[in-house]
Amino acid sequence: MADPPLVELREVRKSYTIGAPNVAEVLHGLDLRLDAGEFVALIGPSGSGKSTLLNIVGLLERMTAGSYRLQGEPVGALSDEALTLRRRATLGFVFQFHHLLPAFSALENVTLPALMAEGRVSAARREQARGLLAAVGLAAAMDKRPSQLSGGMQQRVAIARALVMQPALVLADEPTGNLDTASSDEVFRELRRIHAERGTAFVVVTHDPRLAARCDRVVELVDGRIARDERVAASGAPA
Ligand code: ADP
């Protein structure tokens, strides 16, 4: 039997209560399917629901209605605890602001998800973290603290951290939104390279049409609905 889709959303709705009795629906019945190993841009105007959608896919927020299967498993009814375990096992996150811990070295920051998921950092995980830092060009910076690194380097540490538990899917919310063009290009190139080498799936929220054009598929949200979902003709494997 074929593998189930990585992510399958059906008729997903999300509402926020904005001071009872006022309820605002921000996602209006989305259907979305992602397959393993896809590289998808999520675009759309500010307030269109991109972060909300990413947070639902990332098991950080619950949908109000609809169904969500992650690797074939319905996750809508899971307890908070089960969601946390599922998130740690399957998903990695990169945010606009890297949220690295300032008192820890780059290497310690990258091994942190292992500490949280497994209660300790095994020698194998530490080796893996070293390998990831080397892979994103930071072999010489492993013992540096975030404040000793440039913005682009900090974001590359955050990418290594997102990958250390070998997630099937990385969710990146404006991962280059805080960087200049050169650093942004460099970080994006890393994402594409990791995708090519490891087959990790990515969903990247971006405002930058240049970056969206370098993804394989573009999903556009407008007012909480999918307005466009298409393959990119000449997408950007590593330059
Ligand atoms: P985007 O990421 O595309 O900018 P968001 O997903 O952040 O959009 O927001 C979509 C809509 O949901 C916006 O109108 C926003 O104000 C609203 N929203 C997001 N989070 C909350 C919340 N916690 N409470 C109330 N409204 C929210």
Side-chain angles (χ1 to χ4, degrees):
M1 216 174 76
D3 284 344
L6 178 58
V7 165
E8 195 170 27
L9 304 180
R10 291 233 175 109
E11 276 294 310
V12 165
R13 293 174 185 275
K14 176 69 183 178
S15 308
Y16 291 109
T17 304
I18 41 172
N22 298 316
V23 173
E25 188 174 88
V26 300
L27 297 179
H28 308 294
L30 294 191
D31 293 327
L32 181 68
R33 174 190 164 133
L34 305 174
D35 286 317
E38 284 204 81
F39 198 109
V40 181
L42 181 59
I43 65 169
S46 184
S48 58
K50 302 182 297 298
S51 296
T52 303
L53 176 58
L54 209 67
N55 288 341
I56 288 173
V57 172
L59 306 176
L60 293 165
E61 273 188 61
R62 288 178 185 275
M63 57 202 173
T64 311
S67 81
Y68 175 9
R69 284 172 183 267
L70 179 59
Q71 294 174 317
E73 182 195 2
V75 294
L78 293 181
S79 68
D80 287 351
E81 212 170 20
L83 286 177
T84 300
L85 295 177
R86 200 72 175 78
R87 188 163 60 237
R88 286 178 182 161
T90 313
L91 303 168
F93 296 86
V94 181
F95 299 100
Q96 178 173 359
F97 300 99
H98 52 73
H99 301 300
L100 299 176
L101 296 183
F104 292 93
S105 70
L107 181 62
E108 287 166 336
N109 269 284
V110 174
T111 54
L112 212 59
L115 187 64
M116 286 167 68
E118 297 165 351
R120 61 187 280 268
V121 181
S122 67
R125 286 282 182 217
R126 196 179 306 274
E127 255 336 281
Q128 204 178 349
R130 284 183 200 282
L132 280 165
L133 280 166
V136 297
L138 295 176
M142 293 193 197
D143 299 323
K144 298 241 188 314
R145 294 193 180 179
S147 61
Q148 298 173 288
L149 304 174
S150 71
M153 290 164 97
Q154 292 174 0
Q155 200 57 314
R156 283 186 279 145
V157 175
I159 292 168
R161 180 186 53 187
L163 290 164
V164 75
M165 299 305 288
Q166 300 176 293
L169 172 62
V170 170
L171 301 167
D173 200 350
E174 296 274 358
T176 66
N178 198 28
L179 302 175
D180 60 41
T181 308
S183 306
S184 162
D185 277 351
E186 165 201 298
V187 164
F188 194 82
R189 221 173 12 248
E190 289 304 336
L191 299 181
R192 288 275 4 178
R193 207 164 53 78
I194 288 157
H195 169 260
E197 286 176 8
R198 296 168 181 255
T200 311
F202 284 83
V203 176
V204 181
V205 172
T206 181
H207 275 111
D208 185 342
R210 274 180 341 115
L211 295 187
R214 290 161 61 186
C215 296
D216 298 334
R217 174 181 169 193
V218 176
V219 174
E220 181 176 5
L221 276 188
V222 176
D223 291 337
R225 292 192 169 82
I226 293 179
R228 182 162 71 100
D229 181 352
E230 59 193 28
R231 304 270 146 204
V232 176
S235 61

